Amino acid sequence: LDALDAKRLTVPQVFDAYRLNQLPALIADTMTPTLGALRDAWLASLRNQPRTIVGYTQKITRMVPDDMKASAFNAGWCVDTLANLGVSDGTARQYLHVLSLFGDYLEGHHVLDFNPVRKRGLVRRPKNNAKRTVWHTVEVDHALCQAATEPFRSCFALVHATGAERDAVLAMRRRDIDATAWTCHIPGTKTKTRDRKGVPIESWAQPFLRDVLRTTLPDALLFPTITRGTIQTAHMSARTAIKRPEYQLRDARHSYAVRAILRPTAGQLREGADLDIAVRAWLRAAAALRSRGEAVTVTSLLLEMATAAERAAIAAASDRLNGDGDKELRALRNPGETWLRKKK
């Protein structure tokens, strides 16, 4: 009766359903709220970061129309919707993730018996992109920053010297950087688990950052004039200038992580097993650099490894792990020797 009063149903529709013994199905379909209303309720219940909610809203609004019935949310509809978006596999995975979260909400509120996106084999997931293995040394990051102009030069220095994400750096304020200990707080702009405190800033980037730190108020954004679009464009120009077209902005965190592995710690020098782990990583890095013909020395990779005792310890570990030892690491006994030369 409510449906008739609201003109969602007509008397002939009710009579036809009764005559065909389909009245229960008609009532269930009529009383089920539309996905548009459920979509809005799901978005209102989210407790994610504001930027994440904006992205979810744009994607789910594009896929789920206001008048769509909950019964139409099935595996076939999900497959057809993703196929008709006309986006890359990487973007399709983002849309599928949003659909999966929305399906969890519908299942949790007993609108659906199960979430079809979660059901194994019902919805084919877009192909994963190849894993990125690009990383570069301090010399490359320093040259890339030199090729940029301010304020991008300071911004790139902070990104490449901390491994921070693009959106996190754009959200950082002056108070997030400790210029005494040279550590920083990287805010979690996407999820709270990405919020990191006490992240070391590599020493090579400190000269690039001193001016912006000196002239910025504590609560002010470090880079208020830079946007997500302009930082990408400026980084593309800088990497082209230094002839590193493969070096994307997101590869900064990989470079930072590899250099952190290559940089020895006091604990690794005291414990033979830990030193062995570090030396194995250095051996792989030296082989990779040699195969690429990089004009980089092992000294530049080890960074703070400067004393004769430390060099001797690494050379001894190289002998133990690698038979006669790696010639680059073995040469640590003679710090004046050039270990890697650029191929002709």
Side-chain angles (χ1 to χ4, degrees):
L1 291 177
D2 290 339
L4 288 171
D5 287 343
K7 299 187 183 303
R8 295 198 305 270
L9 285 177
T10 63
V11 172
Q13 285 178 312
V14 175
F15 179 77
D16 289 342
Y18 168 76
R19 181 171 57 84
L20 298 173
N21 199 26
Q22 296 177 350
L23 194 56
L26 177 65
I27 293 174
D29 186 61
T30 303
M31 298 305 294
T32 301
T34 62
L35 281 185
L38 292 168
R39 175 198 64 202
D40 296 339
W42 170 64
L43 291 172
S45 69
L46 294 176
R47 294 295 180 266
N48 300 76
Q49 296 289 336
R51 186 185 295 276
T52 303
I53 295 177
V54 170
Y56 286 176
T57 303
Q58 293 172 344
K59 291 178 174 61
I60 198 66
T61 303
R62 180 178 177 184
M63 291 185 289
V64 177
D66 293 338
D67 56 351
M68 179 178 171
K69 294 294 184 180
S71 57
F73 191 96
N74 51 45
W77 176 83
C78 292
V79 171
D80 293 340
T81 299
L82 291 173
N84 294 329
L85 288 174
V87 297
S88 65
D89 287 341
T91 306
R93 285 197 300 275
Q94 298 176 13
Y95 277 92
L96 182 62
H97 175 65
V98 174
L99 273 183
S100 180
L101 295 177
F102 184 46
D104 289 341
Y105 177 84
L106 298 179
E107 181 182 1
H109 285 73
H110 308 290
V111 178
L112 300 177
D113 293 333
F114 63 91
N115 181 1
V117 182
R118 298 284 188 190
K119 205 73 171 179
R120 192 177 186 86
L122 291 183
V123 180
R124 186 186 68 83
R125 300 187 178 278
K127 182 181 177 182
N128 289 331
N129 295 333
K131 293 183 179 180
R132 294 192 62 80
T133 58
V134 177
W135 70 273
H136 285 290
T137 59
V138 165
E139 287 80 3
V140 174
D141 283 347
H142 189 278
L144 186 141
C145 293
Q146 290 281 29
T149 58
E150 290 292 354
F152 298 105
R153 178 179 295 167
S154 302
C155 184
F156 293 160
L158 187 56
V159 169
H160 287 277
T162 61
E165 298 86 355
R166 174 196 60 193
D167 291 350
V169 166
L170 297 185
M172 288 178 69
R173 299 180 183 275
R174 171 62 183 85
R175 64 172 180 268
D176 291 322
I177 296 183
D178 182 350
T180 303
W182 284 107
T183 59
C184 69
H185 163 227
I186 300 177
T189 56
K190 189 172 184 180
T191 60
K192 292 181 179 179
T193 56
R194 293 195 180 191
D195 193 272
R196 288 103 71 193
K197 294 181 173 65
V199 178
I201 301 174
E202 292 180 329
S203 58
W204 65 268
Q206 296 170 11
F208 293 111
L209 297 173
R210 285 197 174 95
D211 285 344
V212 68
L213 296 180
R214 187 178 64 253
T215 58
T216 306
L217 295 175
D219 289 331
L221 290 172
L222 285 173
F223 310 108
T225 61
I226 300 179
T227 65
R228 301 173 76 188
T230 56
I231 189 175
Q232 291 292 137
T233 303
H235 195 271
M236 290 173 61
S237 300
R239 77 189 190 200
T240 302
I242 65 170
K243 297 180 172 55
R244 299 285 182 176
E246 79 289 348
Y247 201 12
Q248 298 184 17
L249 188 62
R250 58 180 173 173
D251 294 325
R253 55 187 174 184
H254 191 197
S255 295
Y256 181 78
V258 171
R259 294 198 295 261
I261 293 174
L262 297 176
R263 186 184 302 112
T265 64
Q268 288 172 333
L269 294 177
R270 288 193 298 267
E271 301 293 336
D274 291 334
L275 180 59
D276 289 355
I277 293 174
V279 169
R280 285 193 180 95
W282 295 329
L283 290 170
R284 289 194 298 270
L289 287 172
R290 198 182 308 118
S291 66
R292 286 160 41 176
E294 296 284 353
V296 180
T297 66
V298 174
T299 320
S300 65
L301 293 177
L302 304 187
L303 299 176
E304 290 135 7
M305 185 64 63
T307 68
E310 292 166 343
R311 290 195 295 270
I314 293 176
S318 174
D319 293 342
R320 183 172 66 256
L321 294 171
N322 201 35
D324 293 335
D326 184 271
K327 65 178 182 179
E328 283 80 19
L329 291 176
R330 196 168 65 244
L332 285 167
R333 296 190 182 94
N334 180 12
E337 181 179 343
T338 299
W339 301 312
L340 293 180
R341 299 181 183 278
K342 192 172 182 65
K343 292 180 179 177
K344 296 296 183 181

